[in-house]
Amino acid sequence: MVDTETTATTDAPRNFIRDIVQDDLEAGRARGVVTRFPPEPNGFLHLGHAKSICLNFGIAKEFGGRCHLRFDDTNPVKEEQLFIDSIQQDVRWLGFDWGEHLYYASDYFEQLYEWAEHLVRTGNAYVDDTAADAMRTQRGTLTEPGQNSPFRYRPVEENLDLFRRMRAGEFPNGTRVLRAKIDMASGNMNLRDPVLYRILHAAHPRTGDAWSIYPTYDFAHGQSDAIEHITHSVCTLEFEDHRPLYDWLIEHLPVPSRPRQYEFARLNVTYTILSKRHLTRLVTEGHVTGWDDPRMPTIAGIRRRGVPAAALREFVSRVGVARAYSTVDVAMFESAIRDTLNPSAPRRMAVLRPLKLIIDNYPEGQTETLEARNHPDNPDAGSRPVTFGREIYVEQDDFMEHPPKKFYRLSPGKEVRLRYGYFVTCREVVKDADGQVVALRCTYDPGSKGGNAPDGRKVQATLHWVAAADALPAEIRLYAHLFSRPDPGADGDALADINPESLEVLDGALVEPALADAPVGAAVQFERTGYFAIDPDSRPGRLVFNRTVGLRDTWAKVSAKG
RNA sequence: UGGGGGAUAGUUUAGCGGUAAAACUCCCGGCUCUGACCCGGGCAUCCUUGGUUCGAAUCCAGGUCCCCCAGCCA
C-alpha cells in the first residue's frame, strides 16, 4: 500500500513574502531567516493552518533558516493539553520538523512581566480600574476619538504597586487591567491604550496556578518573536492593524532583536468553513463524529480521509500566497489529491453496489486465477492474482436495461470486458417479484481470457468486478461536501447550510481479497471508482473504507446532460 | 476627510515599463483492458476615468466596489 508519510519538499513557488525575505538577505538587513508557526492550542489545526505551516516552514527551509513551533498559550480558559498534543502531531504529519525549537509563550511569562513593569516605570503603561463596559464606551467609535481614562495619569509608584498586587492575586477577575499609554484619539483602534494584561484566576495547562494575570496576544506575540530572534513574523491579514502596536512595543522595550511582521490573506475554500468557532460547534453539537471526522477540514480529518500529506502540501503550493482576499475552489484541492495519489496508489477492484452476474457457459464449481496489474503505468508495482468464477459481482451502475445513447456498459445483448478477465455478453435479466433487477445471466468467450478477443474485436467498456467465491464484505463510507453551498453562512448561520447528505454508508460492498490485511490509512485506488483509504474503525473481517476522493467522472457529466 | 488593506480569465496565482503566463474548473476532440491517467484545442474590456511615455496590468492623479478594526479572544 502507499506510504503517505513523506518528507516535505522545497519546490515552493514564488510569492511576495519570499521576495521580501530574499531582498532582506541580499541587502544584508537579515543575516539568516527565522520564522515561526504560532498556534493557540484551543482547537485542532485545519486547512488554513496548513497554508501557514507550509509558508513558514517552507521559507525557513528554502533559505537555510529555521522555523519554530510556538504555542501562543496566553489565554488559559480556552487552552488544553489535548490540543497541544494534536497540533504537534499534525505539524509532524504534514512533514515539517521544528527540531529543538519548540516554545511556549508561557515560557516567557516572567520576562514579559518584567517588560510590563519596564513600561510602567517609563510612563508608558498604567493600571486602569475602569470596568470593561465603561472602557468600551471610553474607547470611542470607528469615527469618533476615545476619552482618556481617569486612571491614565496615575503615578508610576501607584501603578507599580497595583500591577504587582494584580500579579499577587489580590484582585478579582475583571477589576483592573494594565494598559499601554499610546493615543486614545488614534484612528487605529489598537492604539487607543490597548490592554496588555488582564486578571484571570484560571489554571494554565502549563503554568498551573502560578499566575493570576496573563498577557494579551498583543503584548505576548511580538516580544516572544523578539526573544526567539524571529526575523520575519508572518501572520494573516486581520492582524495588519496590529502591526503599529507590534512595532510600538518593540520600540519601547529593551528586546534582544527586531522582528518584522508581514501579513498574507488567509485561506478560504468553497463548500467549507474554516473558522474555529464553527468547527468547534460542528463537533460539540454532534454534526460530525469528532475533530477527525473525514468530512472535517481539520488536518486530522483530512488525514483520516486518506489524503496524503504531500497532497496537502501540493494544494497549498498551487493556491499560492498573496494579499488579495480569495476563496479557492475545493476542486483544486481534490485535483491535488488525485494528482498525488494517481502515480502511487495501488489499483484494486471493489464493487460498491453489487449486482450478481452469472456466466451460464462457465463450468459450475470451477474457478481460475487471473493476473491483475497493481499499477497501469508502473510495471515495478507488480501484480496480484484474482480469482475468477461462474458467479461474480459487478457494479449496479454498470448495467442499464434500457440504455441511453452513449451508455456503453452492460445492457441486454451487449458485450463488455471484465477487467483482466473475459468478454461477457448479457443474455438475460433476472428480476424479483417487484420487478427489481437481481441478477444478469451472461455468456463468456473462453478465447478472450486475459481481456483480448482472438479475432481482435473491440468492446466499448471494461468493467471492474469481484468473484462471488472469495470477495470480502466491506463497509464503504462515501463523503460529499459538508456544506451544500459554496459559501456556507453567506445568508446567515453557516450551520444551517450543512449538507444533510454529506455521508453515505454502503454496507454491502464487496472487495477483492488482496485488501484483507491492508493497514489503517493505506491508500488504494478502486478502479473506475476513486481513491479509498482504510479507516481506523476497520477490523479484520469487517473492513471499513473511506472514499478520499472520486475519480473524474466524465460519464456522469454526459449522462446528467441527458 | 476615522484607520488599515485589496481589485489580472468561472476560481487561485504569475507578471516588477516592451505588447497578458500557469494551475484548477468548464467546453470540443484524440488515446485507452479504469468513460481514470495521458495528449491536442478553446475560454481575459488586466475595476474605472484621465495623465506620463515611442510603449502602461505595471508609474502618477481622481473615482468605484470589496474586506478588516470599536474583546480584559487570538
Side-chain angles (χ1 to χ4, degrees):
Chain A
M1 306 298 134
V2 100
D3 177 12
T4 57
E5 299 296 322
T6 48
T7 312
T9 51
T10 53
D11 55 345
R14 180 176 180 182
N15 63 59
F16 78 97
I17 292 182
R18 278 163 204 281
D19 290 348
I20 289 170
V21 171
Q22 191 156 36
D23 286 350
D24 286 348
L25 257 19
E26 285 171 0
R29 284 187 294 272
R31 242 173 290 150
V33 56
V34 185
T35 58
R36 103 268 91 112
F37 171 61
E40 183 191 16
N42 67 345
F44 277 65
L45 259 27
H46 56 65
L47 232 27
H49 294 108
K51 180 177 180 180
S52 176
I53 292 166
C54 291
L55 215 210
N56 278 296
F57 279 92
I59 285 178
K61 191 162 189 171
E62 179 178 348
F63 294 101
R66 63 174 193 266
C67 181
H68 300 179
L69 173 60
R70 180 171 77 233
F71 288 100
D72 228 329
D73 54 348
T74 57
N75 186 2
V77 305
K78 289 186 172 180
E79 297 153 6
E80 293 175 30
Q81 187 61 42
L82 164 73
F83 298 134
I84 293 177
D85 296 337
S86 77
I87 288 168
Q88 294 188 55
Q89 181 189 0
D90 289 349
V91 174
R92 265 195 221 101
W93 176 78
L94 249 186
F96 298 102
D97 181 12
W98 52 87
E100 305 296 297
H101 303 284
L102 173 64
Y103 303 108
Y104 297 82
S106 55
D107 291 342
Y108 312 135
F109 279 173
E110 190 60 46
Q111 173 69 80
L112 292 170
Y113 176 82
E114 282 172 30
W115 280 336
E117 281 207 357
H118 176 90
L119 248 22
V120 171
R121 280 193 297 272
T122 53
N124 288 308
Y126 61 99
V127 172
D128 194 338
D129 304 355
T130 307
D133 53 347
M135 198 181 290
R136 190 180 315 121
T137 309
Q138 286 172 16
R139 189 155 26 231
T141 69
L142 294 178
T143 52
E144 296 163 321
Q147 306 295 318
N148 284 348
S149 163
F151 302 96
R152 198 171 200 255
Y153 296 102
R154 217 164 209 168
V156 168
E157 285 313 313
E158 187 183 335
N159 281 324
L160 227 35
D161 175 60
L162 285 170
F163 187 44
R164 286 170 182 167
R165 288 165 63 193
M166 280 168 63
R167 174 177 182 169
E170 286 187 32
F171 311 119
N173 287 356
T175 51
R176 286 182 170 82
V177 294
L178 183 75
R179 291 227 260 173
K181 193 187 293 179
I182 306 181
D183 179 9
M184 287 305 289
S186 173
N188 183 341
M189 300 299 284
N190 295 115
L191 262 19
R192 319 246 263 225
D193 289 11
V195 171
L196 269 22
Y197 269 91
R198 73 278 211 193
I199 300 171
L200 237 39
H201 293 276
H204 186 283
R206 290 183 53 83
T207 60
D209 299 322
W211 293 85
S212 49
I213 57 172
Y214 291 92
T216 56
Y217 161 85
D218 284 307
F219 191 63
H221 202 94
Q223 281 55 257
S224 298
D225 285 342
I227 290 170
E228 295 176 19
H229 289 80
I230 300 298
T231 56
H232 302 261
S233 183
V234 180
C235 61
T236 46
L237 243 28
E238 65 269 26
F239 291 101
E240 259 179 313
D241 290 347
H242 293 247
R243 182 161 16 100
L245 174 55
Y246 183 105
D247 291 339
W248 187 93
L249 288 165
I250 293 291
E251 282 158 15
H252 287 78
L253 256 13
V255 292
S257 77
R258 172 71 222 242
R260 295 280 180 180
Q261 173 182 303
Y262 301 92
E263 311 87 14
F264 67 95
R266 70 184 320 150
L267 178 67
N268 296 294
V269 182
T270 57
Y271 296 98
T272 307
I273 216 85
L274 291 178
S275 91
K276 200 164 292 187
R277 191 181 122 244
H278 288 300
L279 295 182
T280 303
R281 279 187 63 196
L282 287 172
V283 173
T284 57
E285 294 176 18
H287 297 107
V288 295
T289 59
W291 287 99
D292 69 341
D293 186 300
R295 291 167 293 180
M296 289 284 275
T298 51
I299 307 286
I302 287 166
R303 174 172 60 229
R304 179 167 177 180
R305 186 164 177 152
V307 176
L312 212 45
R313 278 183 249 120
E314 174 63 19
F315 169 63
V316 166
S317 161
R318 291 184 190 186
V319 162
V321 180
R323 287 177 66 86
Y325 301 91
S326 61
T327 301
V328 175
D329 191 337
V330 71
M332 216 184 274
F333 184 39
E334 292 162 357
S335 171
I337 297 171
R338 292 190 195 101
D339 286 354
T340 305
L341 251 15
N342 179 44
S344 58
R347 311 287 124 125
R348 293 291 183 265
M349 293 199 284
V351 177
L352 274 39
R353 300 176 182 84
L355 172 61
K356 181 172 280 190
L357 187 155
I358 302 157
I359 303 168
D360 284 319
N361 60 337
Y362 193 91
E364 215 146 342
Q366 180 180 314
T367 61
E368 64 186 299
T369 299
L370 305 169
E371 183 182 5
R373 286 192 301 277
N374 289 329
H375 195 104
D377 309 320
N378 178 16
D380 294 342
S383 63
R384 82 278 178 192
V386 291
T387 303
F388 188 83
R390 189 169 193 268
E391 291 193 0
I392 65 168
Y393 288 95
V394 295
E395 206 72 63
Q396 286 173 21
D397 288 350
D398 284 338
F399 171 78
M400 284 185 93
E401 189 170 12
H402 306 289
K405 198 87 174 123
K406 286 181 178 164
F407 185 86
Y408 39 83
R409 276 110 102 146
L410 220 41
S411 56
K414 189 81 169 279
E415 182 174 49
V416 300
R417 171 169 41 231
L418 294 173
R419 182 133 230 227
Y420 304 119
Y422 295 92
F423 283 15
V424 294
T425 304
C426 178
R427 301 296 180 189
E428 187 187 339
V429 181
V430 183
K431 298 180 182 178
D432 62 14
D434 299 327
Q436 294 296 307
V437 177
V438 293
L440 303 175
R441 304 207 78 102
C442 300
T443 56
Y444 84 122
D445 175 358
S448 63
K449 181 170 180 174
N452 296 300
D455 59 2
R457 72 181 186 277
K458 303 285 188 189
V459 290
Q460 287 181 109
T462 299
L463 309 188
H464 61 278
W465 53 276
V466 294
D470 65 355
L472 266 24
E475 173 182 325
I476 295 184
R477 299 172 182 171
L478 304 179
Y479 303 102
H481 301 144
L482 226 199
F483 294 90
S484 50
R485 52 185 293 170
D487 51 354
D491 286 350
D493 183 13
L495 289 254
D497 294 327
I498 289 182
N499 176 9
E501 288 160 3
S502 60
L503 169 64
E504 182 181 4
V505 178
L506 302 178
D507 274 319
L510 295 169
V511 305
E512 65 170 278
L515 257 359
D517 39 34
V520 168
V524 295
Q525 184 198 92
F526 289 167
E527 294 211 52
R528 303 208 308 133
T529 306
Y531 294 97
F532 292 77
I534 302 270
D535 188 84
D537 287 346
S538 201
R539 296 285 174 273
R542 187 59 190 172
L543 296 168
V544 179
F545 290 90
N546 294 317
R547 182 172 66 189
T548 308
V549 65
L551 254 28
R552 273 189 74 228
D553 191 349
T554 306
W555 164 242
K557 284 172 197 162
V558 172
S559 73
K561 273 190 269 185

